[in-house]
Amino acid sequence: MNVCESETLSSMLSTYGMVQINNTLDADIIILNTCSVRAQAEQKAFSYLGRVEEIKKQKPNIKIVVIGCMAERLGTKVKKRFKTVDLVLGAKDIDNFALKILNLCNFEKISSDILINRSSEIVRYITIMKGCNNFCAYCVVPFVRGKEISLDNKGIFDKCKVMVKNGTKEIMLLGQNVNSYKYNSTNFVSLVKNICKIDGLERLRFMTNHPKDLSDDLIDLIVSEKKICHHIHLPMQSGSNKVLKEMNRKYTYEHYLELVNNLKNKIHDISITTDVIVGFPGETEKDFNDTFKAVENIRFDGLYVFRYSPRPSTKASTMFDDVPLEEKKRRHSIILNASNKISTEIVSSMVGKTFEVLAEGFNFNVLEARTNSGRKVFIKDTDKDYIGKIFKVQINESKVNSLFGNIV
Ligand code: SAH
Ligand code: SF4
């Protein structure tokens, strides 16, 4: 979501002649987009702002803007701590980001016609809903992003159409809880069905899905609609019912497993990825083992594991954070190792087989493509004319999470 919002902001500013560059020392303005989900993300932002202070000493006129969730959570406190910061724009104010940045730089007006990225990138993200109403006990998102709001389906559809007209082949719909999308009589299934009708669109993905809202209708749509990719990110968080309840996730492990089995039975090549938190308050060795067993049993195609980090305002921050850091680290590495092993096995079982890929980019003479299941494939000795095309590759090598192949 942050990548998507940074891209949108960048394209809005570019219509006013601003150019995005990668070398901070050449920039006239630095915009730092922040995340608040874990304390570590905020610490990274702080240490970056520390480095930026040095840049401002060399280049006093450079403007520093902090946007996003951390900006929302801390507001002017960011400015108090880092005097070099010129502007702090909280995540809830996202619609006005560009205007305020333009004001800071003395630009006078902003056109309403700039909300679509005009570049012709092959894969584009689009936010279909903002905020979240779920209040998972550990999560700061509902506090920094506000309540869940689904965006106008017609607006979303029109933006998708423009993107496709400009050359986009794959669209990823984004929301904290995409499958609970509802705008008047349009639900997520009808929105997706409609977008899939756009001529020229080849692939559609969406994330993140909350297990409590994953309907049979949506699973059936993935089966019947060819453009929907066979990949679903379905955060499990824990394999222990006790912990899931404490987390306020509103499903049991049995329900989660039923969804996974249902998906695997109906879509044989579905790729399922997940998020797991270890060391949530009160997580015993047995609870942790339930998560470990779930990971071994389900064999996710990909998994992100996080050490629980208490976040201000959340329900869990009032609970006793009783799992010591060392123990959290131990549990984290057990899950990570198990998941890496499974991932490596899955990836190496793909060697020798042929998959359809969409080429997204070309870097250092290597074509970067992606399978329908979302895995990146690198193709050497070819040319960039393949970008934007769908074709078959045979996988001839695998390394941890990367695949290498030849066009067949
Ligand atoms: N809306 C998405 C999640 C957004 S946050 C969803 O419901 O899946 C992304 C991931 O960060 C979460 O799935 C969770 O695993 C992790 N996370 C969120 N808050 C956390 C915290 N306080 N400590 C550790 N991990 C956390
Ligand atoms: Fe956070 Fe839960 Fe909402 Fe995801 S669904 S953003 S984890 S509160």
Short mmCIF file of all heavy atoms in Angstrom, two decimals, residues 260-287:
data_model
loop_
_atom_site.label_atom_id
_atom_site.label_comp_id
_atom_site.label_asym_id
_atom_site.label_seq_id
_atom_site.Cartn_x
_atom_site.Cartn_y
_atom_site.Cartn_z
N VAL A 260 -8.26 -23.14 3.35
CA VAL A 260 -7.06 -23.55 2.61
C VAL A 260 -7.37 -24.81 1.80
O VAL A 260 -7.05 -24.89 0.60
CB VAL A 260 -5.88 -23.79 3.58
CG1 VAL A 260 -4.74 -24.53 2.91
CG2 VAL A 260 -5.39 -22.46 4.15
N ASN A 261 -8.03 -25.79 2.42
CA ASN A 261 -8.35 -27.03 1.72
C ASN A 261 -9.31 -26.80 0.57
O ASN A 261 -9.16 -27.37 -0.51
CB ASN A 261 -8.91 -28.07 2.69
CG ASN A 261 -7.80 -28.59 3.60
OD1 ASN A 261 -6.62 -28.55 3.23
ND2 ASN A 261 -8.16 -29.04 4.79
N ASN A 262 -10.28 -25.94 0.83
CA ASN A 262 -11.24 -25.58 -0.19
C ASN A 262 -10.53 -24.96 -1.41
O ASN A 262 -10.79 -25.32 -2.56
CB ASN A 262 -12.19 -24.55 0.43
CG ASN A 262 -13.57 -24.67 -0.13
OD1 ASN A 262 -13.77 -25.39 -1.09
ND2 ASN A 262 -14.50 -23.95 0.47
N LEU A 263 -9.61 -24.02 -1.12
CA LEU A 263 -8.85 -23.37 -2.20
C LEU A 263 -8.02 -24.39 -2.95
O LEU A 263 -8.01 -24.42 -4.19
CB LEU A 263 -7.93 -22.29 -1.61
CG LEU A 263 -8.57 -20.96 -1.23
CD1 LEU A 263 -7.67 -20.18 -0.27
CD2 LEU A 263 -8.84 -20.11 -2.47
N LYS A 264 -7.33 -25.25 -2.19
CA LYS A 264 -6.44 -26.22 -2.85
C LYS A 264 -7.23 -27.25 -3.66
O LYS A 264 -6.77 -27.69 -4.72
CB LYS A 264 -5.58 -26.95 -1.80
CG LYS A 264 -4.45 -26.08 -1.24
CD LYS A 264 -3.56 -26.86 -0.30
CE LYS A 264 -2.38 -26.02 0.18
NZ LYS A 264 -1.57 -26.69 1.21
N ASN A 265 -8.41 -27.63 -3.17
CA ASN A 265 -9.22 -28.62 -3.90
C ASN A 265 -9.79 -28.05 -5.18
O ASN A 265 -9.87 -28.73 -6.20
CB ASN A 265 -10.38 -29.12 -3.04
CG ASN A 265 -9.86 -30.00 -1.92
OD1 ASN A 265 -8.76 -30.55 -2.03
ND2 ASN A 265 -10.61 -30.12 -0.84
N LYS A 266 -10.22 -26.77 -5.11
CA LYS A 266 -10.87 -26.19 -6.29
C LYS A 266 -9.87 -25.63 -7.30
O LYS A 266 -10.17 -25.56 -8.48
CB LYS A 266 -11.83 -25.07 -5.86
CG LYS A 266 -13.09 -25.62 -5.19
CD LYS A 266 -14.08 -24.50 -4.97
CE LYS A 266 -15.39 -25.03 -4.44
NZ LYS A 266 -16.22 -23.98 -3.88
N ILE A 267 -8.69 -25.18 -6.80
CA ILE A 267 -7.70 -24.56 -7.69
C ILE A 267 -6.38 -25.28 -7.44
O ILE A 267 -5.63 -24.91 -6.53
CB ILE A 267 -7.56 -23.04 -7.39
CG1 ILE A 267 -8.96 -22.39 -7.32
CG2 ILE A 267 -6.68 -22.35 -8.41
CD1 ILE A 267 -9.04 -21.16 -6.47
N HIS A 268 -6.10 -26.32 -8.22
CA HIS A 268 -5.00 -27.21 -7.85
C HIS A 268 -3.63 -26.53 -7.81
O HIS A 268 -2.77 -26.91 -7.05
CB HIS A 268 -4.98 -28.46 -8.75
CG HIS A 268 -4.49 -28.13 -10.13
ND1 HIS A 268 -5.33 -27.60 -11.09
CD2 HIS A 268 -3.27 -28.19 -10.71
CE1 HIS A 268 -4.63 -27.36 -12.19
NE2 HIS A 268 -3.38 -27.72 -11.97
N ASP A 269 -3.45 -25.45 -8.62
CA ASP A 269 -2.13 -24.79 -8.62
C ASP A 269 -2.14 -23.49 -7.82
O ASP A 269 -1.30 -22.62 -8.01
CB ASP A 269 -1.67 -24.52 -10.06
CG ASP A 269 -2.63 -23.60 -10.80
OD1 ASP A 269 -3.77 -23.40 -10.32
OD2 ASP A 269 -2.25 -23.07 -11.86
N ILE A 270 -3.08 -23.36 -6.88
CA ILE A 270 -3.15 -22.12 -6.10
C ILE A 270 -1.90 -21.97 -5.23
O ILE A 270 -1.39 -22.94 -4.68
CB ILE A 270 -4.43 -22.08 -5.21
CG1 ILE A 270 -4.62 -20.69 -4.56
CG2 ILE A 270 -4.37 -23.12 -4.09
CD1 ILE A 270 -5.41 -19.74 -5.35
N SER A 271 -1.41 -20.74 -5.16
CA SER A 271 -0.28 -20.46 -4.29
C SER A 271 -0.84 -19.68 -3.09
O SER A 271 -1.52 -18.67 -3.26
CB SER A 271 0.72 -19.62 -5.09
OG SER A 271 1.53 -18.90 -4.24
N ILE A 272 -0.57 -20.19 -1.90
CA ILE A 272 -1.10 -19.52 -0.70
C ILE A 272 0.06 -19.00 0.13
O ILE A 272 0.97 -19.76 0.48
CB ILE A 272 -1.97 -20.48 0.14
CG1 ILE A 272 -3.11 -21.05 -0.73
CG2 ILE A 272 -2.55 -19.77 1.37
CD1 ILE A 272 -3.97 -22.09 -0.04
N THR A 273 0.03 -17.70 0.41
CA THR A 273 1.08 -17.12 1.25
C THR A 273 0.42 -16.53 2.50
O THR A 273 -0.80 -16.32 2.53
CB THR A 273 1.86 -16.02 0.49
OG1 THR A 273 0.92 -15.05 0.00
CG2 THR A 273 2.64 -16.59 -0.67
N THR A 274 1.23 -16.30 3.52
CA THR A 274 0.62 -15.90 4.79
C THR A 274 1.53 -15.01 5.64
O THR A 274 2.70 -14.84 5.32
CB THR A 274 0.22 -17.17 5.59
OG1 THR A 274 -0.80 -16.84 6.52
CG2 THR A 274 1.39 -17.77 6.35
N ASP A 275 0.94 -14.45 6.69
CA ASP A 275 1.69 -13.72 7.73
C ASP A 275 1.50 -14.45 9.05
O ASP A 275 0.39 -14.94 9.34
CB ASP A 275 1.11 -12.31 7.96
CG ASP A 275 1.31 -11.38 6.78
OD1 ASP A 275 2.11 -11.69 5.90
OD2 ASP A 275 0.63 -10.32 6.76
N VAL A 276 2.56 -14.50 9.85
CA VAL A 276 2.49 -15.14 11.16
C VAL A 276 3.16 -14.23 12.19
O VAL A 276 4.18 -13.62 11.90
CB VAL A 276 3.22 -16.52 11.12
CG1 VAL A 276 3.55 -17.02 12.51
CG2 VAL A 276 2.39 -17.55 10.35
N ILE A 277 2.54 -14.11 13.35
CA ILE A 277 3.16 -13.35 14.45
C ILE A 277 3.57 -14.35 15.54
O ILE A 277 2.76 -15.19 15.92
CB ILE A 277 2.18 -12.32 15.04
CG1 ILE A 277 1.80 -11.27 13.99
CG2 ILE A 277 2.79 -11.64 16.28
CD1 ILE A 277 0.75 -10.26 14.47
N VAL A 278 4.81 -14.26 16.01
CA VAL A 278 5.21 -15.10 17.15
C VAL A 278 5.41 -14.22 18.38
O VAL A 278 5.78 -13.05 18.27
CB VAL A 278 6.51 -15.90 16.88
CG1 VAL A 278 6.29 -16.95 15.81
CG2 VAL A 278 7.68 -14.99 16.55
N GLY A 279 5.14 -14.81 19.56
CA GLY A 279 5.39 -14.10 20.81
C GLY A 279 4.31 -13.11 21.18
O GLY A 279 4.55 -12.15 21.92
N PHE A 280 3.09 -13.33 20.68
CA PHE A 280 1.95 -12.49 21.11
C PHE A 280 1.78 -12.70 22.62
O PHE A 280 2.07 -13.79 23.13
CB PHE A 280 0.69 -12.93 20.34
CG PHE A 280 -0.50 -12.05 20.61
CD1 PHE A 280 -0.61 -10.82 19.99
CD2 PHE A 280 -1.50 -12.46 21.49
CE1 PHE A 280 -1.71 -9.99 20.24
CE2 PHE A 280 -2.60 -11.64 21.74
CZ PHE A 280 -2.70 -10.40 21.12
N PRO A 281 1.31 -11.68 23.38
CA PRO A 281 1.17 -11.84 24.84
C PRO A 281 0.40 -13.11 25.19
O PRO A 281 -0.67 -13.37 24.63
CB PRO A 281 0.39 -10.59 25.26
CG PRO A 281 0.76 -9.56 24.24
CD PRO A 281 0.94 -10.31 22.94
N GLY A 282 0.97 -13.89 26.08
CA GLY A 282 0.31 -15.12 26.55
C GLY A 282 0.56 -16.33 25.67
O GLY A 282 0.07 -17.42 25.95
N GLU A 283 1.35 -16.17 24.57
CA GLU A 283 1.62 -17.32 23.69
C GLU A 283 2.54 -18.31 24.41
O GLU A 283 3.71 -18.01 24.68
CB GLU A 283 2.27 -16.86 22.38
CG GLU A 283 2.46 -18.01 21.38
CD GLU A 283 3.29 -17.61 20.16
OE1 GLU A 283 4.53 -17.47 20.30
OE2 GLU A 283 2.71 -17.41 19.08
N THR A 284 2.00 -19.47 24.73
CA THR A 284 2.80 -20.49 25.43
C THR A 284 3.56 -21.32 24.40
O THR A 284 3.33 -21.21 23.19
CB THR A 284 1.89 -21.44 26.23
OG1 THR A 284 1.02 -22.09 25.27
CG2 THR A 284 1.06 -20.70 27.27
N GLU A 285 4.41 -22.20 24.90
CA GLU A 285 5.16 -23.11 24.03
C GLU A 285 4.17 -23.96 23.22
O GLU A 285 4.36 -24.21 22.04
CB GLU A 285 6.06 -23.99 24.90
CG GLU A 285 7.02 -24.90 24.15
CD GLU A 285 8.07 -24.14 23.32
OE1 GLU A 285 8.42 -22.99 23.67
OE2 GLU A 285 8.52 -24.72 22.31
N LYS A 286 3.06 -24.35 23.87
CA LYS A 286 2.06 -25.18 23.18
C LYS A 286 1.40 -24.36 22.05
O LYS A 286 1.23 -24.87 20.94
CB LYS A 286 1.00 -25.67 24.17
CG LYS A 286 -0.02 -26.54 23.47
CD LYS A 286 -1.20 -26.97 24.30
CE LYS A 286 -2.23 -27.67 23.41
NZ LYS A 286 -2.73 -26.85 22.30
N ASP A 287 1.03 -23.12 22.37
CA ASP A 287 0.43 -22.26 21.33
C ASP A 287 1.38 -22.12 20.14
O ASP A 287 0.98 -22.22 18.98
CB ASP A 287 0.12 -20.86 21.87
CG ASP A 287 -0.91 -20.87 22.98
OD1 ASP A 287 -1.86 -21.67 22.88
OD2 ASP A 287 -0.76 -20.09 23.94
#
